[in-house]
Each structure stands twice: as structure tokens, then as C-alpha cells.
Amino acid sequence: MSLKLYRELASWWPLVSAPADYAEEATFYRRVLTRACGRPLRTVLELGSGGGNNASHLKRHFRMTLVDRSPQMLAVSRALNPECEHVRGDMRTVRLGRTFDAVFVHDAVSYIASLRDLRRTMATAFVHLRPGGAALFCPDWVRESFRPSTSHGGHDGDGRSARYLEWTIDTDPDDGLYEMLMVYVLQEHGRRTRIESERHVLGLFGRDEWLKALEEAGFQARAVRVGPLGAAAGSLVFVGVKPMSARRAATRRRTRADR
């Protein structure tokens, strides 16, 4: 799916969604990953890193490698995070040939619209983790907590301004998808105001589907409830820890089966 926001409108991203707005949630994600890892956390791979807003805060604590499929969004992130490594790639298929202490997948995982592709994304995280490392997946919604909503925002910049309206709906509760209908109002000083709109289609999976998929990928999985962070407050994020050894993982699986 080619979305305007991440292609021809990508240069507007810092005004649609400003890096400063991510400070609180980035702190929350850092704490979750740090507690989950079985070793000191130094290197982090972010899949679907977008414009680099989370990385602008996490890079103070970790060495970040940022992967995104949109070259336009990578350009925005490079301007914000020149000290971070940037790689163009799809979170479902990218293979860097090295491992990290942690893998972080923010709300870009919401664009994964099928369980098959969700499992492929989890496999990517797994192969890039060192034993004892943790992966954190942060969907905007899980099925049990989804509710229709509207929101708006935007910022003023140097010579231009952006505002947006977001309407989140689920027109078919049985198809495992939901929609975000977006309107962007973009103003460059001295030029005519520009209005764009588009439809984002996102995946909606249940808590048990998430946990089962993580376990099938080889992770030790758990859900963590999100605090008062934005529209998805009260929703869940998912942590998968890569076992220290295959033997230990097999022992844990047998233990769970005996319960």
C-alpha cells in the first residue's frame, strides 16, 4: 500500500507528528525493553522506524539501527537522527546478517494486516536478536480494546503549518481489519492551502493471537498494559524474549504443557 503520508507528504511528517510528542512513550518503551532483556541493553534495531521520532529519544540510551521501507521517511529520520544507522527494508523480510540486544517495533506494526505477515515480522525480530534479548511490538489496538475514535493535531514550523483530522473506525468487526480516515491541511506561507485525504487499512488481532504467534516464532511471550499514553491508553503491547538456549526453551515449553 502506497500512502501519501509516507511518500509525497513525508516532508510534512515533523509537523503532523512532532518528535517532542514522543518523549513520554519512548521512556515507557525503554523501561519495558530494559526490564525484559537478560543482558545489558546497548544495541536496538527498530523496524518500521518511520520519521525517527521514537529514535530521537531512545538514541540517548542505545545505539540505534533504523529500518523502514519508505525512502522518503528515512530521509526525514536521517535529518533528525544523523548519528543513527538507517537501512531501507521491509520488516517482514529484511535480513541484516547480525544481531542486536533488542528489537523495537512501534505502531508501524499496525499496518501488518494478516496473521501470516505478523508471523513473518516476528520471525524477522527473532533472527536479529541475541539470546536473552527482547522484542517489543506496539500495535495501536488489539481487538479486545478497540473503540472508534477521532483525534486531531498538528504543528507550526518554519514557513509552513500542518493540521490533521483522524477518524478511526471498524466497519466489519469480523474481517480482522480497521481503518483510519485521514485529512491533512497543509499551508506553506504565501501559497494556497493544500488539503489531502487518504484511507489507512490496519490489522486488528486479539491478545491470544498475538501471544500464540510470538510463541510459535520461538519467543517467551507476555502482554504489557499501556499506561495513559495517547489514544491507545489501556491497550496492550507485546514482549517476546529469545531464550538463552534451545534446550532451555524446550524445557519451558514442556513445563507449560504439564501445567
Side-chain angles (χ1 to χ4, degrees), residues 16-218:
V16 173
S17 187
D21 296 342
Y22 287 65
E24 184 180 6
E25 59 181 302
T27 298
F28 170 76
Y29 302 137
R30 175 171 61 87
R31 288 173 179 167
V32 172
L33 279 173
T34 300
R35 291 169 183 169
C37 284
R39 62 171 65 213
L41 180 50
R42 298 186 180 90
T43 59
V44 176
L45 170 65
E46 183 176 357
L47 300 173
S49 54
N53 287 349
N54 276 298
S56 70
H57 303 283
L58 295 174
K59 68 185 180 184
R60 303 170 191 172
H61 307 277
F62 315 124
R63 189 163 70 252
M64 304 288 298
T65 297
L66 309 180
V67 173
D68 199 89
R69 63 187 296 185
S70 165
Q72 295 89 342
M73 292 298 279
L74 286 173
V76 172
S77 181
R78 285 191 186 98
L80 179 63
N81 304 301
E83 62 273 73
C84 296
E85 179 186 6
H86 290 77
V87 180
R88 185 181 180 187
D90 188 314
M91 69 174 73
R92 296 167 294 183
T93 58
V94 67
R95 295 293 185 268
L96 302 183
R98 52 198 163 102
T99 57
F100 301 80
D101 296 325
V103 175
F104 174 52
V105 193
H106 191 227
D107 55 4
V109 78
S110 297
Y111 288 98
I112 299 298
S114 70
L115 280 171
R116 177 179 179 270
D117 281 345
L118 186 62
R119 294 187 185 100
R120 294 171 71 196
T121 302
M122 291 173 177
T124 298
F126 192 86
V127 301
H128 287 97
L129 272 177
R130 295 178 180 138
L136 175 60
F137 300 85
C138 306
D140 278 337
W141 300 102
V142 293
R143 184 180 296 114
E144 293 85 351
S145 66
F146 179 85
R147 63 180 185 275
S149 62
T150 59
S151 64
H152 60 86
H155 300 272
D156 300 321
D158 184 13
R160 58 185 191 168
S161 303
R163 298 293 184 269
Y164 71 86
L165 172 66
E166 174 186 305
W167 184 18
T168 302
I169 58 175
D170 184 3
T171 57
D172 183 353
D174 298 320
D175 67 356
L177 303 170
Y178 70 100
E179 301 174 37
M180 284 194 315
L181 308 178
M182 302 291 300
V183 177
Y184 317 108
V185 182
L186 312 172
Q187 184 181 68
E188 293 187 77
H189 296 178
R191 296 189 179 184
R192 186 175 181 179
T193 300
R194 177 181 177 186
I195 300 175
E196 300 279 356
S197 64
E198 63 184 352
R199 173 176 172 261
H200 298 229
V201 178
L202 306 103
L204 188 62
F205 309 110
R207 175 185 181 275
D208 290 345
E209 289 177 302
W210 273 96
L211 294 174
K212 181 180 179 181
L214 281 166
E215 290 178 352
E216 289 175 345

